Amino acid sequence: MAKITINDLLEAGCHFGHQTRRWNPRMKDYVYTVKGGISIIDLTKTMRQIADACNFLQRTVAEGGEVLFVGTKPQLRETIKELAERTGMYSVSERWLGGTLTNNVTIRKSIAKMNEIDAMLNSEAVNGMKKKEVASMSHRAEKLHRDLDGIAEMKKLPKVMVVVDVNNEMNAVREAIRLHIPIVAIVDTNGDPTLVDYPVAANDEAVRSVGIITNIFADAIKVAKEIYNKRAAEEREAAEVAKRVAEEQAANAAEAEPKEAKPRRTRKAAPAEGEAKPRRTRKAAAPAEGEAAPKAPKAPKAADAE
């Protein structure tokens, strides 16, 4: 992760706040002095805040958490998009749709509709449609892509939201607060640092100022994501090894189990030498036709009782 110094922040113009008449009294602890009616931010405190924010982002992402970058100012849109692409995270850079977090089910429906329109426009069915109908669908798809592309793959709520300018993104901040999603934010002298969990006092208007700070955030996120992916791969490998070992043990136990022996037929012992073999007895022959069967012997009569 790249390191920055106070001189780097000075060169990027991070110390320039707003005019004193636009300042928020809750930012007084972060204002070093006033020069020419402009509040000058104390960059020594900004450095500590950047470190705290990076540590929090690393812990969150290393545990599998995802980040949502939010910044819809025209001059910052490309910066926010590049941050999301670089880190493999998500972004809202055009317009914050109400309910993006608090009514995510509706947002998912809009994303599904966008994909449905794309599929229709890319199919052969479009050849049988009127030009006006095709133009209307294309225009709607363009608007949906503009607002939803940055969160189209976000299947669940983010674990942390990174915001540039809390005043401009107040709707996003309120939704995150309602859902108890931690917020890391660049807060200028006209903002309220108490609204967010990890404020970073700095100029939130200049592209260079925002860029140098968010690049540090991005580096921290990338390092943490590599750690998470490595640990996840090791856990998957360990699980596969444990599964193979269990299967081998089960197979070995089955082979070692004694099979049930079938009863063996016993042979009759052969007669000793000189001993006559036992003769087989034949059943009495049936009486010839017309010949009376032999009578069975009568049982002796019981003795008369005295």
Side-chain angles (χ1 to χ4, degrees):
M1 186 172 68
K3 293 183 178 180
I4 60 171
T5 64
I6 290 181
N7 285 335
D8 295 328
L9 297 181
L10 282 169
E11 290 177 5
C14 296
H15 59 296
F16 291 119
H18 284 277
Q19 295 178 342
T20 52
R21 60 185 174 84
R22 293 180 55 194
W23 85 309
N24 189 315
R26 291 177 177 173
M27 283 292 292
K28 66 179 180 180
D29 292 338
Y30 307 107
V31 175
Y32 177 72
T33 188
V34 175
K35 195 171 184 179
I38 302 294
S39 298
I40 304 300
I41 296 170
D42 187 347
L43 293 182
T44 58
K45 294 182 178 180
T46 301
M47 290 286 289
R48 289 195 293 269
Q49 290 175 322
I50 291 173
D52 291 341
C54 285
N55 289 335
F56 172 71
L57 288 170
Q58 281 191 322
R59 289 197 306 271
T60 303
V61 176
E63 293 173 359
E66 296 177 333
V67 180
L68 175 62
F69 293 96
V70 181
T72 59
K73 288 180 177 178
Q75 71 270 29
L76 300 177
R77 285 172 183 166
E78 289 304 316
T79 300
I80 298 300
K81 288 179 183 177
E82 289 172 5
L83 282 170
E85 292 173 2
R86 180 177 163 191
T87 58
M89 296 299 177
Y90 312 107
S91 66
V92 174
S93 59
E94 293 290 335
R95 182 168 70 97
W96 180 268
L97 299 177
T100 297
L101 298 178
T102 55
N103 193 13
N104 194 249
V105 174
T106 300
I107 298 298
R108 300 307 311 170
K109 288 180 180 178
S110 298
I111 293 171
K113 186 64 179 178
M114 178 182 73
N115 294 333
E116 182 184 332
I117 293 173
D118 287 344
M120 189 173 294
L121 290 173
N122 293 326
S123 68
E124 296 181 357
V126 75
N127 297 327
M129 298 170 63
K130 296 180 181 180
K131 290 184 178 179
K132 187 176 181 180
E133 190 177 359
V134 173
S136 176
M137 290 178 62
S138 299
H139 181 65
R140 186 179 180 190
E142 184 181 347
K143 289 181 65 178
L144 289 170
H145 278 287
R146 181 193 66 194
D147 296 334
L148 300 173
D149 270 353
I151 57 173
E153 300 300 322
M154 191 173 74
K155 307 299 182 184
K156 57 184 179 180
L157 292 176
K159 290 295 183 181
V160 60
M161 192 166 73
V162 176
V163 178
V164 179
D165 191 345
V166 292
N167 289 347
N168 195 63
E169 312 301 340
M170 187 56 69
N171 290 335
V173 170
R174 288 195 184 106
E175 289 193 26
I177 292 172
R178 182 177 174 183
L179 296 176
H180 306 290
I181 296 174
I183 302 171
V184 173
I186 298 177
V187 185
D188 212 325
T189 55
N190 65 335
D192 184 355
T194 64
L195 293 175
V196 300
D197 302 88
Y198 292 89
V200 176
N203 181 349
D204 62 10
E205 298 284 346
V207 174
R208 286 188 64 194
S209 172
V210 172
I212 193 172
I213 294 173
T214 53
N215 279 339
I216 297 299
F217 292 167
D219 289 342
I221 290 170
K222 285 183 66 178
V223 169
K225 196 169 184 180
E226 289 173 2
I227 293 171
Y228 171 75
N229 290 338
K230 183 179 179 181
R231 185 169 63 243
E234 290 174 351
E235 289 175 355
R236 285 195 299 270
E237 185 178 354
E240 290 174 1
V241 170
K243 183 180 178 181
R244 287 197 299 269
V245 169
E247 290 174 352
E248 291 174 1
Q249 289 177 345
N252 294 337
E255 290 178 2
E257 185 179 349
K259 296 181 180 180
E260 185 178 351
K262 293 182 179 180
R264 298 181 62 183
R265 298 177 66 179
T266 57
R267 293 183 178 180
K268 294 181 179 180
E273 188 176 354
E275 183 181 347
K277 294 183 179 180
R279 297 180 63 184
R280 290 186 176 181
T281 57
R282 294 184 179 179
K283 293 182 180 179
E289 187 177 354
E291 184 180 347
K295 293 182 180 181
K298 293 182 180 181
K301 292 182 178 180
D304 293 335
E306 291 181 4

